[in-house]
Amino acid sequence: TRTPVNVTVTGAAGQIGYALLCRIASGHLLGPDVPVKLRLLEITPALGAAQGTAMELDDCAFPLLRGIDITDDPNVAFDGANVALLVGARPRTKGMERGDLLEANGGIFKPQGRAINDHAADDIKVLVVGNPANTNALIAQAAAPDVPAERFTAMTRLDHNRAISQLAAKTGAAVSDIKRLTIWGNHSATQYPDIFHAEIAGKNAAELIGDEAWLADAFIPTVAKRGAAIIEARGASSAASAANAAIDHVHTWVNGTADGDWTSMGIPSDGSYGVPEGLISSFPVTTKDGAYEIVQGLDINEFSRPRIDASVQELAEERDAVRALGLI
Ligand code: NAX
C-alpha cells in the first residue's frame, strides 16, 4: 500500500478540468498502482461547479482516489502538493492588450507560485497549462525561489501530439512508429514543430517526405493553428486533447521516455541551442527517474534556425514585458 500522491488542479471547474480529473483519478497520470488525493483550486464563484465535478468523481468509485478537497485558497490547495497542474488562467478577451493579459495572469500565477514555494512537498512538479503557458510558468517560478527552477514546466505536449498526428496522416504511418519529434519555443503560433530529427518507422521523417514546401506551407501552420481550427469546428477550445496532453506530460516526466525516443516540454533553458538561460522554452527532452534532460548535439539546419529564433524572441519579449510589470 503506497501513500497517496497529492495532485493539485487549478481551474478544476473548467472544461479541461472536467476532462482531466477522471483520468487522474483512474490512474492515467501516475500509473495504475498509484493512489491519489485531489486538491481542486477554483475562484470563489466556481466552487459550486467544482463541487459538482467532485460529486461525479465520487460516483465513479475509482479505487485509486483517496480523497478530494475543494478550496479557493492557494495556500490550502498546494499544501503538501506533489504534482500541480495549473490549468486555470485569464483568457484574452476582446480588446485586451498583451500587457493587460500578462498582468491579469500575473495576478493568478504569482500568488500560486508563492503558495507552492511555501506549502508544496519537496518533490513538487509543476505543469502550467493555462495560457500564455510559458510565461505564466516563468511568473510562478520567479515567485518560488526555494523550489528548484526546473520543477516549473509549461505544456507543449499538445502541439507535439498534434504534430505526430499530422505526420501520421501525411505518411500513412502509425502514430506509434513516429519518434523524436520536437516542438521548439513558445506554445503559441510561433512554435516550431521540427521533423528533421524525427523518425518514421526508423527512417528520417524529413528525408522520407522530402518536401520543404509542405513543411512550410502545410505542416507547420496546421500544427500551429490547430487550436483555432478546433474552436472553429467545435465552438469551444480543445479540452479532451489538452487534458490528454497534460496527462502525457506528467506521466512521461514521472515514468520516463522510451529508449531511443524523446518528448517536448517547456522547461527553463540552460542556454542550450542558443536559447537564453532562464526562458521557459520548449525543447526535446528525455526523462528518467522523475528528472529530464535536454537532448544535446542536434544539428540545427538553415530551415530550423530562424524558426526557433523567432519563437524564442517572442518568449524574450514576453519575459521583458512581465519584468517591466514587476511580475518577475
Ligand atoms: P475554462 O474557462 O473552461 O476553465 C478555466 C477555469 O479556471 C474556470 O473554471 C475558472 O473559474 C478557473 N480559474 C480562473 N482563475 C482562477 C484562479 N485564479 N484560480 C483557480 N482557478 C481559476 O478554460 P479551459 O478550456 O479549461 O482552459 C484552461 C486554460 O488552458 C486556458 O488558459 C487555455 O488557454 C489553456 N490551454 C492551453 C493549452 C496548451 O497547450 N498549453 C491547450 C488548451 C488550452 O487552450
Side-chain angles (χ1 to χ4, degrees), residues 10-11 13-16 41-43 46 87-89 108 112 129-131 133 155 158 187 237-238 242:
T10 78
Q15 54 153 4
I16 294 176
L41 179 68
E42 259 296 350
I43 53 172
V87 179
I108 295 173
Q112 289 183 2
V129 174
N131 282 320
M155 189 166 94
L158 180 53
H187 167 69
S237 57
S238 321

Side-chain angles (χ1 to χ4, degrees), residues 64-86:
L64 292 172
L65 182 56
R66 299 296 156 80
I68 312 172
D69 295 321
I70 305 172
T71 179
D72 57 4
D73 180 350
N75 293 319
V76 175
F78 295 112
D79 189 30
N82 306 107
V83 176
L85 302 171
L86 309 190

Side-chain angles (χ1 to χ4, degrees), residues 259-326:
D259 277 346
D261 200 3
W262 65 63
T263 190
S264 305
M265 290 170 68
I267 57 169
S269 176
D270 62 357
S272 295
Y273 297 102
V275 181
E277 200 177 334
L279 285 182
I280 297 193
S281 186
S282 189
F283 284 97
V285 299
T286 54
T287 58
K288 199 182 175 209
D289 300 330
Y292 58 78
E293 268 180 40
I294 298 176
V295 176
Q296 294 296 340
L298 299 179
D299 177 41
I300 305 299
N301 67 15
E302 280 172 25
F303 185 92
S304 299
R305 188 76 257 174
R307 290 174 164 86
I308 296 173
D309 290 349
S311 195
V312 168
Q313 177 59 30
E314 182 183 53
L315 284 171
E317 286 166 15
E318 288 182 16
R319 177 200 54 200
D320 293 348
V322 294
R323 192 175 275 156
L325 289 164

Side-chain angles (χ1 to χ4, degrees), residues 9-18 40-47 49 71-72 74 86-92 104-105 107-109 111-112 127-134 136 154-159 162 187 227 231 234 236-239 241-243 245:
V9 178
T10 78
Q15 54 153 4
I16 294 176
Y18 190 78
L40 312 186
L41 179 68
E42 259 296 350
I43 53 172
T44 317
L47 287 174
T71 179
D72 57 4
L86 309 190
V87 179
R90 175 75 160 79
R92 190 188 286 254
N105 279 294
I108 295 173
F109 287 88
Q112 289 183 2
L127 168 62
V128 176
V129 174
N131 282 320
N134 300 54
N136 287 341
M155 189 166 94
T156 52
R157 186 63 173 265
L158 180 53
D159 309 302
R162 284 167 172 166
H187 167 69
I231 294 175
R234 241 190 122 228
S237 57
S238 321
S241 56

